[in-house]
């Protein structure tokens, strides 16, 4: 599943699924732009990647909900590599959990801004650059969540944002498929990420009870699916939602 010669732009690259995705793509030969709100974490990710002979991986600071920062990230990518990425992974995401009766407007807005609006801005900005640059075999992979399928108590804002990501992906797949850009969603289940590690142990145990494989997932297991969707081996997969849940 070679990605040699491909340029990949990954948001949320500083930890969790984003970092694992950078590592997986780089292992397959891709040149990686690791973008994250925490530039220190993005640099740590780049340091963990295998070195390439011809070009170097790049770390970029970005707040995906900020249109000017997304445009600046694209500009820096173009200035550095003289081409638009052919792989774009939207892994940036946050939670601000609370019951709907207690959820603040600010926490609702922030989750929707980062998870949904941020995904929209990155898709729009980079897909347009891919078209303008006549980049071939482009693939955009967005990170949704399986909880957006059935809801989860205390996560009204998160579930709404991730349900939006999945439907946004399907629309983008229809619109950009005409110019040979594939757009797909990966729906992780309960994955051992810094976001999930903050959950109390008793709650984690209840989640595991509902997983047929009887364990939590690893970021690397999600990253392998993302890498597949970035490669030519998934050349006829477009507008799909792929669950990585252990059967949850």
């Amino acid at each position: 599943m070679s990605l040699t010669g491909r340029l990949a732009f990954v948001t949320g690259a500083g930890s969790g699924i984003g970092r694992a995705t950078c590592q997986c793509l780089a292992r397959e030969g891709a040149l990686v732009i690791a973008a994250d709100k925490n530039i220190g974490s993005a640099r740590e990710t780049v340091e963990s990647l295998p070195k390439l002979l011809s070009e170097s991986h790049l770390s970029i600071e970005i707040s995906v909900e900020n249109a000017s920062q997304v445009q600046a990230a694209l500009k820096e990518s173009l200035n550095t590599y003289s081409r638009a990425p052919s792989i774009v992974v939207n892994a940036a995401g946050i939670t601000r959990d609370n019951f709907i009766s207690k959820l603040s407007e600010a926490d609702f807005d922030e989750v929707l801004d980062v998870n949904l609006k941020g995904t929209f801005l990155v898709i729009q900005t980079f897909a347009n650059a891919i078209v303008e640059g006549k980049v071939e075999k482009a693939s955009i992979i967005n990170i949704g969540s399986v909880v957006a399928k059935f809801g989860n108590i205390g996560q009204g804002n998160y579930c709404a944002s991730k349900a939006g990501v999945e439907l946004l992906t399907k629309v983008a797949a229809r619109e950009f498929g005409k110019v040979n850009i594939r757009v797909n969603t990966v729906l992780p289940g309960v994955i051992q990420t810094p976001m999930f590690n903050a959950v109390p142990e008793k709650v984690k145990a209840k989640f595991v009870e509902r997983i047929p494989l009887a364990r939590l997932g690893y970021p690397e297991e999600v990253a392998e699916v993302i890498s597949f969707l970035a490669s030519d081996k998934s050349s006829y997969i477009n507008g799909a939602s792929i669950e990585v849940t252990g059967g949850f």
Side-chain angles (χ1 to χ4, degrees), residues 95-101 103 145-163 188-190 195-196 199 203-204 206-207 210 248:
T95 57
R96 296 289 184 269
D97 295 349
N98 212 332
F99 297 115
I100 290 174
S101 60
L103 183 63
S145 175
V146 74
V147 298
K149 292 285 191 182
F150 50 79
N152 194 38
I153 291 173
Q155 290 195 309
N157 49 359
Y158 183 77
C159 291
S161 71
K162 292 300 189 178
V190 189
M195 187 184 296
F196 185 73
V199 174
V203 177
K204 290 180 182 178
K206 289 183 178 180
F207 274 113
R210 298 169 60 187
F248 178 67

Side-chain angles (χ1 to χ4, degrees), residues 15 18 21 31 61:
S15 64
T21 297
L31 185 61
E61 184 175 359

Side-chain angles (χ1 to χ4, degrees), residues 39-226:
I39 187 61
S41 296
R43 287 171 180 157
E44 289 175 4
T45 295
V46 166
E47 286 299 314
S48 75
L49 305 181
K51 303 297 186 290
L52 301 176
L53 294 177
S54 57
E55 295 178 290
S56 299
H57 305 294
L58 177 68
S59 57
I60 289 180
E61 184 175 359
I62 188 174
S63 293
V64 293
E65 70 277 19
N66 185 308
S68 62
Q69 289 196 28
V70 175
Q71 289 286 348
L74 171 64
K75 184 177 180 180
E76 185 172 354
S77 302
L78 293 173
N79 287 343
T80 302
Y81 300 110
S82 302
R83 65 188 190 277
S86 61
I87 300 167
V88 177
V89 182
N90 280 299
I94 62 169
T95 57
R96 296 289 184 269
D97 295 349
N98 212 332
F99 297 115
I100 290 174
S101 60
K102 300 178 180 179
L103 183 63
S104 71
E105 182 178 356
D107 283 349
F108 183 88
D109 287 347
E110 188 176 7
V111 170
L112 269 290
D113 280 349
V114 173
N115 297 0
L116 182 55
K117 179 184 174 183
T119 299
F120 157 72
L121 289 173
V122 172
I123 291 174
Q124 182 186 65
T125 301
F126 281 81
N128 285 341
I130 288 167
V131 173
E132 291 170 9
K134 298 180 180 179
V135 176
E136 296 182 353
K137 299 180 180 179
S139 178
I140 299 174
I141 302 104
N142 303 319
I143 307 302
S145 175
V146 74
V147 298
K149 292 285 191 182
F150 50 79
N152 194 38
I153 291 173
Q155 290 195 309
N157 49 359
Y158 183 77
C159 291
S161 71
K162 292 300 189 178
V165 166
E166 187 172 7
L167 269 295
L168 177 65
T169 298
K170 291 185 182 298
V171 174
R174 289 176 178 269
E175 293 183 358
F176 292 112
K178 298 175 182 178
V179 288
N180 205 29
I181 301 173
R182 297 184 296 110
V183 191
N184 293 289
T185 315
V186 174
L187 308 180
V190 189
I191 309 298
Q192 294 191 52
T193 64
M195 187 184 296
F196 185 73
N197 288 340
V199 174
E201 291 300 323
K202 289 183 179 179
V203 177
K204 290 180 182 178
K206 289 183 178 180
F207 274 113
V208 172
E209 289 175 1
R210 298 169 60 187
I211 301 171
L213 291 185
R215 66 172 177 85
L216 303 178
Y218 296 100
E220 294 77 14
E221 293 174 305
V222 182
E224 292 289 354
V225 177
I226 293 170

